[in-house]
Amino acid sequence: MSTNRAVAYKGPGKVEVVDIDYPTFELKDGPGVHPDNVGRPLPHAAILKVVTTNICGSDQHMVRGRTTAPEGLVLGHEITGEVVETGPGVEFIQVGDLCSVPFNISCGRCVNCKKGRTEICLNVNPDRPGSAYGYVDMGGWVGGQAEYVLVPYADWNLLRFPDKDQAMDKIMDLTMLSDIFPTGYHGAVTAGVGPGSSVYIAGAGPVGLAAAVGAQLLGAAVVIVADLNAERLKAAEAFGCETVDVSAQDPREGIAKILGVEEVDCGVDAVGFEARGHGHDAKEAPATVLNSLMNVTKAGGSLGIPGLYVTGDPGGIDDAAKEGSLSLRLGLGWAKSLSFTTGQCPVMRYHRPLMEAILHDKVHIADAVNAAAISLDVAPEGYANFDSGVAKKFVLDPHGLTGKVQSVSA
C-alpha cells in the first residue's frame, strides 16, 4: 500500500502537512464527512497521483478561521493528476490518463447535472446541493492537496488531456482549469461581457485576474481591475488591463478617468465576503464590493459574482455578517434593473473550450496570475505568503513532476 501525505487545516491560521490514508473506493469517516456519506461505495471512482494542486483564496477563508471548517480537514479542490487506479464501474477513463478535476463534485445523473448545473448536484452532498473536495459543508470529500486523491464518478468528472507530453509542457496553465480559470471566465460570462464591452472587476487576486483574462477572450474593449493592493494591480496591468487603486480613488472617479464616463457595461465581484471598504487603511466592510458594483454598472447591466459568500462566518464583523447577511443597496440594484448571478462556477460548462484555448496558445493564464510551483512540504509557508497579499498563485507539486519547483520567496 502506498503512503499519502496531505495539507490539513489545524485551526485558525495554521495548516500542516500530515500523513493520511491512501484512497480506497469507499468514503470513510473523517473531519467534515457527513454521517450519511460514511461508508458510501465508490465503484465509479478513480485514484489519481496528484501532479499539481493549487492553493485557492477559498482555502484561505477556511485557514483564517472565517468558516465553520473542522480541524483536521484535508484541503484542496484545485487538482490535476494522473490516473493510477480505477474502480470496477469506470468504463472510459484509463490508468495513465492525465486529467483535470473540476472542483465541483457531480454525479452526472441528477436533474441538475443533466441541465448542466454541476455546481448544484443533488446526489453528492447530503447537506445541500453542490459539493467540492476538501471544503467546509461540502459532504466531506477528501481534499486534493495531497500525493493521491480519489475522484468519484470519474468517467463524468475527469477532463482527459489529449496528449500527455503536450499537457506537461503546459501544465502550469492547465492546472488552472480545475477552478480559477473557469470561475473567472464564468464571472465575465454571467456579467454579460462581449465584444466592445467595458467591464469593472473588483479584486486583483487570482480569480479577478482570471476574470480579466476571460473578459479579454470574450472581446471586451476595456477591462478595468480594481484592488487595494498595488502589487496585484501591477499584475493586471502586465497583460493589458486598466486599473483603479481603490485605496486612493473612488471607483466612479477612476472609471471616469479611463472611459470618460463613470459607469461600465458589466461588473464582476472577485472579492467575496471578506471585502474591505475603499480608501486608505480601509477596514472590513463585506457589502462594499457588491454595493459599489451596483453603483458603477450601467442600468440594465449584469453582475457576475464568483467571489465567495458563506452562510456561517465566525469572524464576521457583526451578528448579521456571521450568518451571511449583508447590508446591500438592493433598492439601487432594482432601480437600475441589474441582474445578478451568484454561486459556484459549473466548471464542466467551460473547462473543455478553455483547455483548447490553452493548448492552441490563445491564452497564457499561468503568466497572468503569476503561477509559482512549490513543493508540498512548504505548503504552510505558501499559505502564509499568499495570505500576506503577494501577487502569486501557488501551485503545489507533490511529486516534483512539473520541473518548475522553486522556493516560496522566489
Side-chain angles (χ1 to χ4, degrees):
M1 178 66 68
S2 297
T3 59
N4 196 15
R5 295 185 309 143
V7 181
Y9 170 63
K10 290 293 187 177
K14 188 176 182 181
V15 297
E16 290 181 4
V17 180
V18 300
D19 292 323
I20 65 170
D21 290 339
Y22 186 83
T24 65
F25 295 99
E26 177 184 302
L27 187 55
K28 297 179 180 179
D29 198 6
V33 179
H34 192 282
D36 292 345
N37 257 354
V38 176
R40 182 173 181 158
L42 305 167
H44 44 68
I47 297 172
L48 272 62
K49 179 180 182 178
V50 175
V51 174
T52 55
T53 176
N54 314 330
I55 297 176
C56 180
S58 297
D59 298 320
Q60 290 286 171
H61 293 304
M62 290 188 290
V63 172
R64 292 186 191 115
R66 297 299 298 267
T67 73
T68 55
E71 292 188 21
L73 181 71
V74 174
L75 302 169
H77 56 270
E78 300 190 8
I79 308 162
T80 305
E82 180 183 1
V83 177
V84 294
E85 189 175 352
T86 59
V90 177
E91 185 175 0
F92 304 111
I93 289 293
Q94 298 179 354
V95 171
D97 286 345
L98 183 60
C99 304
S100 178
V101 184
F103 82 88
N104 323 110
I105 301 173
S106 58
C107 71
R109 295 151 168 80
C110 72
V111 62
N112 286 348
C113 285
K114 290 182 177 181
K115 290 179 179 178
R117 299 299 304 274
T118 56
E119 82 280 19
I120 45 174
C121 174
L122 299 174
N123 288 333
V124 289
N125 183 1
D127 261 337
R128 62 190 187 195
S131 191
Y133 303 88
Y135 209 81
V136 59
D137 295 332
M138 289 293 181
W141 300 90
V142 178
Q145 287 177 12
E147 293 175 324
Y148 297 90
V149 69
L150 186 85
V151 175
Y153 304 103
D155 282 328
W156 167 252
N157 280 306
L158 290 175
L159 174 67
R160 183 180 65 85
F161 300 136
D163 183 288
K164 286 179 70 173
D165 291 337
Q166 181 192 30
M168 286 305 299
D169 285 342
K170 298 178 179 295
I171 193 63
M172 296 297 285
D173 292 296
L174 293 171
T175 190
M176 305 304 164
L177 290 173
S178 57
D179 182 358
I180 68 159
F181 195 12
T183 292
Y185 189 80
H186 178 64
V189 168
T190 54
V193 177
S197 298
S198 59
V199 56
Y200 177 89
I201 298 169
V207 170
L209 298 176
V213 171
Q216 291 174 338
L217 279 175
L218 290 165
V222 183
V223 179
I224 303 170
V225 179
D227 205 294
L228 298 156
N229 184 313
E231 184 181 359
R232 289 183 167 182
L233 290 174
K234 287 179 181 178
E237 292 169 355
F239 61 95
C241 299
E242 302 287 346
T243 60
V244 174
D245 183 348
V246 291
S247 72
Q249 196 170 34
D250 176 80
R252 288 180 71 95
E253 293 175 357
I255 290 168
K257 288 183 178 179
I258 296 165
L259 298 179
V261 294
E262 294 185 339
E263 292 181 320
V264 293
D265 299 315
C266 316
V268 177
D269 173 4
V271 177
F273 74 103
E274 286 193 68
R276 288 189 285 164
H278 298 150
H280 184 63
D281 291 330
K283 306 300 182 183
E284 186 169 325
T288 298
V289 168
L290 290 172
N291 286 331
S292 66
L293 282 170
M294 286 189 279
N295 189 32
V296 304
T297 302
K298 294 177 181 176
S302 298
L303 306 183
I305 308 173
L308 176 69
Y309 289 88
V310 295
T311 56
D313 173 11
I317 60 172
D318 53 35
D319 288 342
K322 288 178 181 178
E323 63 176 18
S325 296
L326 308 181
S327 298
L328 296 180
R329 294 189 64 195
L330 190 58
L332 175 62
W334 189 93
K336 297 178 78 171
S337 295
L338 299 175
S339 300
F340 301 73
T341 300
T342 65
Q344 294 181 27
C345 164
V347 170
M348 293 177 71
R349 186 179 301 174
Y350 306 109
H351 66 175
R352 186 174 297 276
L354 293 178
M355 174 188 74
E356 295 293 347
I358 290 169
L359 294 178
H360 293 282
D361 290 321
K362 298 299 181 186
V363 63
H364 299 93
I365 184 66
D367 289 341
V369 301
N370 196 17
I374 60 174
S375 73
L376 188 70
D377 293 321
V378 299
E381 187 180 346
Y383 268 94
N385 200 272
F386 184 42
D387 195 47
S388 72
V390 298
K392 287 186 179 181
K393 173 70 171 177
F394 286 112
V395 175
L396 303 180
D397 180 354
H399 299 280
L401 297 174
T402 65
K404 300 179 183 295
V405 171
Q406 58 184 259
S407 69
V408 170
S409 58

